[in-house]
Amino acid sequence: MAFLEDKCTLRVYNKEVLDNCQAFDCGNADLNDFFTNDVLNYTSELLGKSYCFTLDEDESVVVAAFTVANDSIKTFILPNARKKKVITSIPRQKQMKSYPAVMIGRLGVNKEFRKIPSEDKSIGDQLMDFIKSWFVDGSNKTGCRFVVVDSYNEIAPLKYYKRNGFTEMFSSEQQEKEVTGLFETAELATRLLYFDLIVISK
C-alpha cells in the first residue's frame, strides 16, 4: 500500500479524531460536512462505521476517511442479463437470491494528499486496495463476496471506481431508474456499482 501503509495509521473515526485532528477537507462539501457533523450520529445509530488514516508525522492530519456498512446484492431484483453478469463466477450449486456485501457509504481523500509524486498509485487507489483486502483478510468475522458503492453520478467518482475494478450494477441509467422506481425524467444522482472480491481472494 506504500504511503498509506508505511506513513499512516488506521484509526476509528471517532470523537477523539474530531477533537484532536484538523478539519478534514477532501474538496467535496457534502463529504466534508458528513465527516465533521454527521459521522458520530451515523455511528451511534449503527448505520455504518467510519475509519480514517492519519499521518504518522503529524497525527492531527487525516489523510483519508471512509465509512462502511453491511449490505447485500439481491439478484432477484436485477434484470436477467445483469444478474448473470454479477454471478458469473459463482458456481451454480452455490448461487443464491442474495449475496453478502459491504457498502462503502462515504469515502474521501484529503485534497492535499490526492497525488504524491513519488507514489505509483494515488492515495485514493491505495485506500481502495486497503478496503478490498480488509474484507478478504482471514480475520474478517463475516463472509463478504462483494464491495458495493452508490457513487455520485459524476465523471470523476465514476472514473475512480471503474479504474479500481468496479462495474455498474445496471446496464444504463434508464434501467437503474426503472428498477429503483425513479421517474424517467428524474435525475439519477448516484450509480450503484460493485466489485467481486473473489478476484483478489485466490
Side-chain angles (χ1 to χ4, degrees):
M1 271 200 313
F3 186 89
L4 278 187
E5 183 178 41
D6 298 335
K7 298 181 179 180
C8 301
T9 298
L10 178 68
R11 302 169 65 180
V12 174
Y13 203 118
N14 54 20
K15 189 174 186 304
E16 181 182 352
V17 170
L18 280 175
D19 290 344
N20 299 322
C21 291
Q22 301 171 32
F24 180 64
D25 185 3
C26 65
N28 179 293
D30 182 47
L31 289 173
N32 288 344
D33 181 62
F34 174 81
F35 284 114
T36 301
N37 299 311
D38 296 335
V39 63
L40 297 185
N41 288 335
Y42 205 74
T43 300
S44 66
E45 290 295 329
L46 306 181
L47 297 175
K49 193 157 186 178
S50 297
Y51 300 87
C52 64
F53 280 94
T54 55
L55 190 64
D56 288 345
E57 67 179 31
D58 182 354
E59 293 182 348
S60 72
V61 176
V62 175
V63 174
F66 64 97
T67 300
V68 289
N70 293 328
D71 201 347
S72 65
I73 292 181
K74 296 174 178 60
T75 54
F76 57 86
I77 69 167
L78 300 176
N80 280 337
R82 300 311 290 177
K83 176 181 175 180
K84 289 178 181 176
K85 186 174 180 66
V86 170
I87 66 174
T88 186
S89 64
I90 298 176
R92 187 172 183 82
Q93 64 271 25
K94 292 186 170 58
Q95 292 181 1
M96 305 178 292
K97 292 182 178 179
S98 180
Y99 297 90
V102 60
M103 164 73 84
I104 299 174
R106 304 285 195 287
L107 183 150
V109 174
N110 187 322
K111 63 181 184 181
E112 301 298 327
F113 290 86
R114 285 178 184 158
K115 291 190 177 180
I116 299 176
S118 60
E119 295 293 305
D120 292 333
K121 284 188 170 184
S122 71
I123 299 304
D125 290 351
Q126 291 181 32
L127 178 60
M128 187 56 67
D129 287 346
F130 168 78
I131 293 172
K132 290 173 182 175
S133 66
W134 220 19
F135 290 96
V136 295
D137 185 273
S139 61
N140 187 26
K141 294 182 176 62
T142 63
C144 180
R145 177 63 188 245
F146 296 98
V147 179
V148 296
V149 62
D150 215 9
S151 167
Y152 290 120
N153 190 13
E154 300 170 2
I155 293 174
L158 289 173
K159 185 177 178 181
Y160 166 71
Y161 285 110
K162 289 180 183 178
R163 183 173 72 242
N164 281 282
F166 283 73
T167 303
E168 290 104 340
M169 193 76 73
F170 299 97
S171 62
S172 66
E173 290 192 19
Q174 183 61 34
Q175 187 180 69
E176 189 162 349
K177 286 181 185 178
E178 290 175 3
V179 174
T180 56
L182 284 178
F183 291 113
E184 186 176 342
T185 54
E187 181 181 350
L188 191 62
T190 60
R191 294 296 311 272
L192 192 59
L193 299 99
Y194 71 94
F195 177 85
D196 191 345
L197 287 168
I198 202 70
V199 173
I200 61 170
S201 69
K202 296 180 177 177

